[in-house]
Amino acid sequence: MSEHHTKVLIIGSGPAGYTAAVYAARANLKPILVQGIQPGGQLMITTDVENYPGFAEVIQGPWLMEQMKVQAAHVGAILMSDTIKSVDFSKRPFKVIGESGAVFMAEAVIIATGAQAKWLEIPSENKFRGYGVSGCATCDGFFYRGKKVAVIGGGNTAVEEAMYLTNHASEVTVIHRRAKFKAEKILQDRLFNNPKIKVIWNHKVEEIVGTEEPKSVTGLKLTNVSTNEVLELLVDGVFIAIGHRPMTDLFKGQITLDEHGYIAAKLGCTETNIPGVFAAGDVQDKVYRQAVTAAGQGCMAALDAERFLAAKG
């Protein structure tokens, strides 16, 4: 069993984690970053990225994460392939244990474990993910200018995604398995008043249909949940908007979470209720959920950790 001591331990390796590593390393804090079960986070399943600043041409999500990883290592961060299984934030130095049995003792911890979009979990969804199936309208809506798209869901996220997509798509169809939305009334009113949006109630997605060459979505097979009748719908893209799940199971009982399971960070910074523990990216951000905002919070977390350590001497 190996034991590692560090001033700053970073848990997670998406844009927030890698950016925190870059800033902490440049502050000579010699951070250790534990990459977790999916190094690179959600961008590893994102194909075209054209809203990350600094790149005039479309770039690939996995390529962007590989560049961040190389940069973090280049400036001196230690990257470790392990997954954290338990944490003890009851006293400093904090004790964190990996699946490998490795023990990490850290004066400060930055949590950047992210969140995962909830998916329908049907085979055709996996087949076309990144080729017409998306979990983020603000990331991918631009690719559907003048096209027909569907949004799956009935909560605030689904209604907001549908409204956003009307800026690009010619027609937006919201598909909900129930007879009414769970979304806030004011959002529903806006949706019902938008001429570009129609709603199909009481239907679930049975299959996402598409072509092999080139791989792209062409439509949906829907089933009426009451009658089992099948409805076919022609669309060019499908946005799954049934919510996100923050990756915080590991931290329950150790740190304050909000009612949705996100880490409760203090307003305007990345501090949590535990002095010396910071949270950055989608693990604490349920509003923006963008690679660039996650990276910005990674920078903030490293600076917050640096100031915390300096104050502790």
Side-chain angles (χ1 to χ4, degrees):
M1 182 178 70
S2 57
E3 187 167 308
H4 307 273
H5 293 258
T6 181
K7 290 177 182 173
V8 179
L9 178 71
I10 300 163
I11 305 173
S13 57
Y18 283 138
T19 305
V22 168
Y23 274 79
R26 285 176 56 83
N28 202 31
L29 297 176
K30 299 180 174 60
I32 294 175
L33 182 148
V34 180
Q35 292 177 296
I37 199 164
Q38 187 183 19
Q42 289 192 87
L43 275 178
M44 297 304 287
I45 56 169
T46 304
T47 49
D48 294 345
V49 175
E50 62 177 15
N51 59 1
Y52 198 86
F55 300 96
E57 302 296 326
V58 175
I59 56 173
Q60 299 300 299
W63 177 85
L64 178 60
M65 297 320 302
E66 182 63 24
Q67 294 302 302
M68 287 192 183
K69 174 184 173 182
V70 171
Q71 183 181 15
H74 179 73
V75 294
I78 299 166
L79 310 182
M80 299 192 67
S81 298
D82 202 349
T83 301
I84 301 305
K85 69 175 184 179
S86 70
V87 299
D88 182 357
F89 293 155
S90 62
K91 61 183 180 187
R92 293 178 57 238
F94 304 118
K95 186 177 183 179
V96 177
I97 300 175
E99 294 279 5
S100 67
V103 176
F104 302 91
M105 304 300 294
E107 296 298 325
V109 172
I110 295 172
I111 300 170
T113 47
Q116 288 186 342
K118 294 178 182 175
W119 298 97
L120 300 173
E121 304 298 345
I122 57 176
S124 52
E125 177 187 58
N126 291 329
K127 179 179 179 181
F128 290 106
R129 198 179 295 176
Y131 297 93
V133 173
S134 172
C136 178
T138 48
C139 307
D140 299 325
F142 184 75
F143 299 115
Y144 296 92
R145 286 167 293 176
K147 296 184 177 183
K148 295 180 179 180
V149 298
V151 175
I152 317 301
N156 283 356
T157 300
V159 172
E160 288 169 347
E161 299 260 285
M163 293 294 295
Y164 175 82
L165 286 164
T166 60
N167 295 321
H168 303 290
S170 61
E171 184 179 292
V172 179
T173 304
V174 181
I175 298 153
H176 188 37
R177 60 187 303 146
R178 295 183 175 84
K180 62 180 181 180
F181 289 136
K182 292 186 295 182
E184 295 168 12
K185 178 76 165 56
I186 190 168
L187 293 176
Q188 293 190 46
D189 290 343
R190 288 176 194 157
L191 181 138
F192 294 136
N193 287 325
N194 193 306
K196 279 190 173 184
I197 300 175
K198 65 178 183 177
V199 180
I200 298 177
W201 303 105
N202 299 311
H203 279 72
K204 66 177 182 177
V205 178
E206 205 65 52
E207 184 184 355
I208 297 167
V209 183
T211 57
E212 290 291 344
E213 271 312 320
K215 189 184 279 192
S216 64
V217 166
T218 57
L220 291 170
K221 282 186 181 176
L222 309 174
T223 302
N224 187 305
V225 296
S226 302
T227 66
N228 286 327
E229 287 183 70
V230 175
L231 172 67
E232 295 192 3
L233 181 70
L234 294 177
V235 293
D236 302 294
V238 183
F239 290 84
I240 313 300
I242 56 177
H244 284 74
R245 183 173 67 88
M247 306 303 285
T248 55
D249 288 352
L250 174 65
F251 308 108
K252 286 177 181 173
Q254 292 283 337
I255 201 167
T256 300
L257 308 177
D258 71 10
E259 66 273 24
H260 302 292
Y262 289 84
I263 293 176
K266 295 179 183 177
L267 189 64
C269 69
T270 63
E271 294 174 8
T272 69
N273 67 302
I274 305 291
V277 178
F278 306 89
D282 290 8
V283 75
Q284 64 113 312
D285 171 19
K286 58 190 174 191
V287 177
Y288 302 104
R289 291 196 297 260
Q290 301 296 303
V292 66
T293 52
Q297 288 185 353
C299 162
M300 290 165 60
L303 296 176
D304 287 342
E306 181 185 4
R307 290 182 186 126
F308 170 82
L309 293 171
K312 294 294 180 186

